[in-house]
Structures are given as C-alpha cells and as structure tokens.
C-alpha cells in the first residue's frame, strides 16, 4: 500500500516536470520563430541569452524526470543527483503548482507528492543523528480542544489522559530523548529551529504548512508527516504515532 502511494506520488511529480519540459520546449520554439524575423542586433543577442538559459533549464528538468523515473522503478541513483533533483523540485514548487492546477491537479495532491518525494530522498540516504540533534515540530491543533491544559510549547505539561496524539509524542520523547515542540505557526517554528539548531527535523502538519516549511528551512533535512484531520483543518487533528516512532528508529544513531 505504502509502495503504491509512493509510486502514485512520484508519478504526479514526473507528470508535472514533463509539463514544465513541454512548456520550455514551446518557449524555445517561439524564440526561434522570433529570431527568424529581421531585428536589431541587441534584440537577437538578448534572444540567444534567453535561449541558452532555457536550454539549461530544459536539461535540468529532463534530468529530474529521469531521476524520479528511476526512483519509481526502485533503481539506484547517486545520492548527490537525488538531493539536487529534490531541491530543484522544491525551488520550482510555485511554478509546478501553477502548471499542475492548469492540468487539473489538486493542490494538496501536488503538495503530498512533493512531501513524499522529499521523505523518500531522506530515507534513501544513510543519514543518522543523535537524539539531541533531532527536533520534532508539531502544530497546536494536535491537542484536544477540550483539554484544560494549554500546551504552548513544552509537551511535558500533558497529563497523558489519552484523548489526543500529544500523549503518544510525550511517550516517544521520554523513550527516545528526542524533543517535541508544539508550534502555532511558521514564525514560531522558525524561532524554535533558531534556538535549538537541530541537525534534522521531523515535522508534523498539514500539506500546506509542510510544503512552506520545506521551502523555508534551508540546509536541515526535514522528514514531513501529514497529520490526519477527521474534524477538518486546524481542530483536533492527530498523527499516526507509529509513523513517528518508525522514523525515530530509522534516523536515531545509537552510539
Ligand atoms: S493527552 Fe495530554 S494534551 Fe491531549 S487531551 Fe489529554 S492531557 Fe490534554
């Protein structure tokens, strides 16, 4: 099931990159057509410069398509190339969302495919960290709205009544020694990252917040876990604690 989901998400990314590829080819053909007309020398030089940039862009996009196609087929890919292609997709995200919507893709489907891709790239690496180098960031909507305690950031305030996922995260914090911080938005998340200076982040949030986090956080690997929202967005959300636990088992280094 998880493998099928991954293939589906990779297919979304590949199809979006193919759309970019076709778009660039259309631009290149248009520029050739413009250049075939008589024009001033500076205008022709400008067109050649744009053309060269587009060809470079085309090659990078094509490499991305090949890399993700190979990933879909479970074939070996050099780590550097995989990370570079993932970064390229993250930087291209606004363009890909725009083009994706033009071809009828749902925004959250696109976001899901990118977060899954990002996670897969991380899982393919051999990276491991000490407990104090990892930070788990989770949104405040994970806490049950009826709870008397207002957890502003430290989950140790939780009384473990079992009514929300905060209890599970506290158990993981106690077992693995990995700190979990509750944040109310991107600004607070950035502040916590600045204070703690983690080497890896496990972020729990909705597709939109995860995607903006992935674009915001530079130089720190982020494993993104999409929360469940049985009551709609921003209220009594939850997370599969087993997924968080599995990721801690995968990324924790036990010296
Ligand atoms: S598990 Fe903790 S945070 Fe959640 S409702 Fe109970 S006491 Fe509140």
């Amino acid at each position: 099931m998880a493998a099928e989901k991954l293939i589906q998400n990779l297919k979304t990314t590949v199809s979006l990159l193919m759309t970019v590829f076709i778009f660039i080819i259309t631009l290149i053909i248009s520029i050739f057509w413009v250049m075939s007309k008589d024009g001033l020398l500076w205008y022709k030089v400008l067109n050649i410069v744009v053309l060269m940039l587009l060809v470079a862009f085309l090659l990078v996009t094509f490499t991305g398509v090949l890399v993700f196609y190979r990933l879909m087929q479970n074939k070996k890919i050099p780590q550097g190339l995989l990370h570079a292609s993932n970064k390229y997709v993250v930087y291209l995200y606004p363009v890909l969302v725009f083009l994706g919507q033009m071809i009828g893709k749902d925004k959250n489907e696109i976001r899901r495919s990118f977060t899954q891709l990002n996670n897969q790239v991380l899982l393919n690496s051999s990276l491991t960290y000490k407990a104090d180098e990892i930070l788990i960031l989770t949104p405040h909507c994970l806490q049950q709205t009826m709870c008397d305690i207002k957890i502003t950031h430290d989950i140790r305030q939780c009384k473990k009544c079992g009514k929300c996922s905060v209890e599970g995260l506290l158990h993981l914090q106690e077992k693995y020694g990995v700190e979990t911080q509750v944040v109310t938005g991107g600004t607070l998340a950035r502040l916590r990252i600045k204070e703690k200076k983690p080497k890896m982040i496990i972020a729990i949030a909705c597709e939109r917040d995860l995607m903006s986090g992935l674009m915001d956080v530079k130089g720190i690997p982020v494993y993104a876990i999409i929360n469940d929202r049985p009551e709609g967005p921003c209220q009594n959300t939850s997370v599969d604690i087993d997924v968080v636990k599995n990721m801690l088992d995968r990324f924790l280094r036990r010296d």
Side-chain angles (χ1 to χ4, degrees):
M1 191 66 191
E4 272 173 34
K5 252 190 191 170
L6 171 66
I7 300 278
Q8 190 51 46
N9 286 324
L10 285 174
K11 269 185 189 165
T12 303
T13 306
V14 168
S15 69
L16 287 173
L17 284 178
M18 281 307 292
T19 313
V20 174
F21 187 77
I22 293 165
F23 184 65
I24 301 170
I25 288 190
T26 314
L27 281 178
I28 289 176
I29 293 170
S30 309
I31 290 177
F32 266 120
W33 180 77
V34 169
M35 281 174 66
S36 67
K37 308 272 171 205
D38 283 341
L40 296 171
L41 180 66
W42 70 265
Y43 188 61
K44 286 201 169 180
V45 171
L46 181 70
N47 277 327
I48 290 170
V49 172
V50 175
L51 203 60
M52 283 164 67
L53 286 174
L54 283 173
V55 170
F57 200 22
L58 189 77
L59 289 176
V60 177
T61 307
F62 187 63
T63 309
V65 171
L66 287 183
V67 165
F68 300 135
Y69 187 70
R70 282 181 70 83
L71 192 63
M72 224 154 67
Q73 294 182 320
N74 226 356
K75 297 226 170 102
K76 231 177 152 40
I77 307 151
Q79 282 299 312
L81 196 56
L82 193 54
H83 280 278
S85 303
N86 185 38
K87 279 264 167 287
Y88 177 62
V89 165
V90 172
Y91 284 122
L92 214 62
Y93 169 69
V95 180
L96 293 177
V97 167
F98 175 74
L99 289 175
Q101 286 185 302
M102 278 177 70
I103 57 168
K105 296 241 182 255
D106 173 64
K107 226 175 184 182
N108 270 350
E109 182 195 340
I110 300 170
R111 288 167 176 152
R112 265 195 302 277
S113 75
F114 292 169
T115 50
Q116 176 99 56
L117 173 68
N118 168 79
N119 291 350
Q120 198 55 34
V121 170
L122 262 186
L123 288 173
N124 267 30
S125 74
S126 52
L127 294 170
T128 54
Y129 303 89
K130 288 193 233 157
D132 62 353
E133 292 174 336
I134 301 178
L135 175 63
I136 300 177
L137 289 175
T138 184
H140 67 111
C141 60
L142 212 68
Q143 187 187 13
Q144 171 64 237
T145 48
M146 302 304 280
C147 180
D148 294 337
I149 314 145
K150 283 292 154 246
I151 298 178
T152 45
H153 63 276
D154 188 352
I155 64 164
R156 283 175 299 180
Q157 293 167 277
C158 168
K159 295 286 177 255
K160 299 184 185 169
C161 77
K163 288 191 181 137
C164 72
S165 303
V166 176
E167 180 184 4
L169 290 174
L170 182 53
H171 281 306
L172 291 181
Q173 179 167 300
E174 289 165 351
K175 183 177 175 195
Y176 292 94
V178 172
E179 188 183 348
T180 295
Q181 287 273 344
V182 175
V183 287
T184 47
T187 310
L188 209 55
R190 276 189 289 278
L191 186 69
R192 296 283 173 254
I193 295 168
K194 211 170 153 193
E195 286 167 359
K196 166 98 179 164
K197 296 186 179 53
K199 292 199 174 153
M200 186 208 174
I201 296 166
I202 296 177
I204 303 161
C206 63
E207 291 88 341
R208 188 198 60 190
D209 287 358
L210 286 175
M211 211 46 230
S212 67
L214 286 176
M215 288 195 294
D216 253 20
V217 178
K218 306 261 185 307
I220 306 172
V222 179
Y223 190 90
I225 302 176
I226 298 168
N227 59 5
D228 296 319
R229 303 181 291 274
E231 297 180 29
C234 309
Q235 175 167 286
N236 295 332
T237 63
S238 62
V239 67
D240 188 340
I241 294 296
D242 284 342
V243 173
V244 185
K245 182 187 173 299
N246 290 344
M247 287 312 116
L248 289 175
D249 286 333
R250 158 64 185 80
F251 289 108
L252 262 181
R253 181 164 64 233
R254 291 156 215 269
D255 297 325

